[in-house]
Amino acid sequence: MSDKQVFRNFVNGEHTDAADGRTLDIVNPATGEVYATSPLSGQSDVDAAFAAAGSAFETWRDTTPAERQLALLRIADALESRAEQFVEREGENTGKPLAVTRVEELPVAVDQIRFFAGAARVLEGKSAGEYLSGFTSYVRREPVGVCAQVTPWNYPLMMAIWKIAPAIAAGNTLVLKPSDTTPATTAMLAELAAEFLPPGVLNVVCGDRDTGRALVTHPTPQMVSITGSERAGIEVAGAAAADVKRVHLELGGKAPVVVFADADIAAAAKAIAAAGYFNGGQDCTAATRVIAAAEVHDDFVAALAEEARQTTTGRPDEDVYYGALNNSGQLARVSGFIDRLPDTATIHNGGSRVGERGYFYAPTVVSGLAQGDEIVTDEIFGPVITVQRFAGEADAVRLANSVRYGLASSVWTRDHATAMRTSRRLDFGCVWINTHIPMVAEMPHGGFKHSGYGKDLSMYGLEDYTRIKHVMSALD
């Protein structure tokens, strides 16, 4: 055990272990081997974290937007200056390619912190006015209070920032639990942020599902925010309802990718493969459910299969497009979808594990599927792209919307009117046109239906961490 890394909780500005000494093994997905431990926190650890957050809120809530902005800007600068340390730790903990993380994740994460630093200065309510004779009314926008937050394993650092930055910008304090498999960079970020935040503003408690339940059901937080699975979101919403907590949910997705006959098939296949296999398809917005016009279906499948054959997976230090799946359970889940394919299905590339060491899975293309097949309706969260065919615009929209998720989607066509009609009718929180997966801090991210509610990023994301108070004063 002495040669293994040890990750710790960060509570009230200090590193702590679980009170009862329990730990979790942390596995490197690229090797399948245990390389670290983290605390398996219990109720007393959660109590201590919320006590720290509650105490810190009494003063943090009174800081000015300028003070909160400055703290966030300093955190962003420090993260940028130590980017390589975070890249290496993220690669070890997640199996992500270092080169991809270095270019696609760290700069974006820094930018998102800076966005919320600026956004802290422009939160406002409606202007004061006399809406009743003899009385002046105005609106105060205030922090919600202490927040409980739970992040997933697919983008550990970035998802932590999506929650931490707006919550702090709005004047809240928080207790955050990272995924049990990926605590590394979240613990590291908390330590960095403590250089610029008062003790107790940001607390990180590591653990398993039971730890998460203790956070959600704790009486202190006024808001619970989770990015995770549909199952976890339903459980959180139910638990929070018992205490009338505000809930912010970013859950699963099953993004339809509607390819019309007039689309540039070669360009679409290339871009869709990139958006479907990025991060090994472990992305709620991944372009993994293609619905192609019948007249171009076969040509598109052939072009996509060729793109898949050119897509590489491997270790973090290799020049590859994506790395390992996060854990053995996820590898088994992805493999299970392929093992249970209906007889009508055809695998055009991949469909198998890569190597015997680590949790690697080949880029896969599957066609010959019906709308009711589980691989079409359920989130795979792996490097598997399915392709169906549609007959006419109405059929395309019907197939696209006939899932319980509503997070993201895309439309591929050269015709402006077709793009506008289809984007209006797609029941998803984001519709990309002739692209898929780009995000910017200024625009909201969040879904409908079983993909949850509430927005990340943008001013909408910041407003979700505030509450509205009406103040009325008599003039006489």
Side-chain angles (χ1 to χ4, degrees), residues 250-267:
E250 201 274 83
L251 308 177
K254 193 67 180 176
V257 182
V258 182
V259 180
F260 284 91
D262 66 339
D264 183 329
I265 298 304

Side-chain angles (χ1 to χ4, degrees), residues 122 240 295 316 324:
V122 295
E295 52 267 51

Side-chain angles (χ1 to χ4, degrees), residues 151-332:
T151 54
W153 47 251
N154 57 335
Y155 296 102
L157 178 63
M158 190 177 297
M159 293 299 97
I161 286 169
W162 280 22
K163 297 193 182 302
I164 291 168
I168 288 175
N172 302 282
T173 59
L174 54 122
V175 178
L176 185 148
K177 190 197 86 69
S179 168
D180 56 342
T181 64
T182 55
T185 49
T186 306
M188 193 172 174
L189 180 64
E191 182 179 4
L192 179 152
E195 298 174 25
F196 313 104
L197 296 173
V201 172
L202 169 58
N203 306 276
V204 171
V205 175
C206 302
D208 60 6
R209 289 181 180 179
D210 289 336
T211 311
R213 291 187 185 98
L215 257 72
V216 172
T217 58
H218 200 278
T220 296
Q222 296 300 300
M223 176 176 175
V224 177
S225 175
I226 176 174
T227 298
S229 68
E230 175 189 16
R231 174 207 56 76
I234 291 171
E235 183 176 336
V236 166
D243 201 25
V244 201
K245 289 181 171 66
R246 185 182 297 195
V247 181
H248 184 283
L249 303 175
E250 201 274 83
L251 308 177
K254 193 67 180 176
V257 182
V258 182
V259 180
F260 284 91
D262 66 339
D264 183 329
I265 298 304
K270 185 177 184 64
I272 291 166
Y277 297 133
F278 185 79
N279 201 38
Q282 297 172 121
D283 189 312
C284 295
T285 66
T288 56
R289 182 168 67 103
V290 177
I291 304 167
E295 52 267 51
V296 298
H297 173 276
D298 292 349
D299 289 342
F300 180 83
V301 169
L304 184 63
E306 180 57 33
E307 294 294 335
R309 283 189 283 272
Q310 297 178 29
T311 301
T312 54
T313 182
R315 299 191 310 271
D317 59 346
E318 294 181 314
D319 181 16
V320 294
Y321 189 64
Y322 69 89
L325 299 184
N326 181 260
N327 55 75
S328 59
Q330 191 60 25
L331 176 62

Side-chain angles (χ1 to χ4, degrees), residues 6 22 91 96 149 175 184 210 224 239 244 255 274 279 443 455-456 466:
V6 177
R22 292 186 300 163
K96 295 172 184 279
Q149 301 179 322
V175 178
D210 289 336
V224 177
V244 201
N279 201 38
M443 289 292 108
K455 298 297 181 183
D456 290 310
T466 67

Side-chain angles (χ1 to χ4, degrees), residues 387-459:
V387 187
Q388 300 165 262
R389 66 180 74 223
F390 72 83
E393 188 176 314
D395 190 41
V397 171
R398 178 186 66 82
L399 292 172
N401 289 340
S402 295
V403 292
R404 61 187 181 274
Y405 299 105
L407 185 58
S409 58
S410 63
V411 179
W412 300 76
T413 177
R414 289 186 173 99
D415 186 76
H416 177 74
T418 299
M420 291 297 97
R421 287 193 307 271
T422 309
S423 62
R424 179 174 180 268
R425 296 176 64 192
L426 287 174
D427 194 16
F428 296 83
C430 174
V431 182
W432 287 288
I433 298 174
N434 293 325
T435 188
H436 194 111
I437 225 167
M439 295 184 188
V440 292
E442 292 83 356
M443 289 292 108
H445 172 77
F448 310 142
K449 301 189 293 188
H450 279 223
S451 290
Y453 43 81
K455 298 297 181 183
D456 290 310
L457 303 178
S458 79
M459 288 302 297

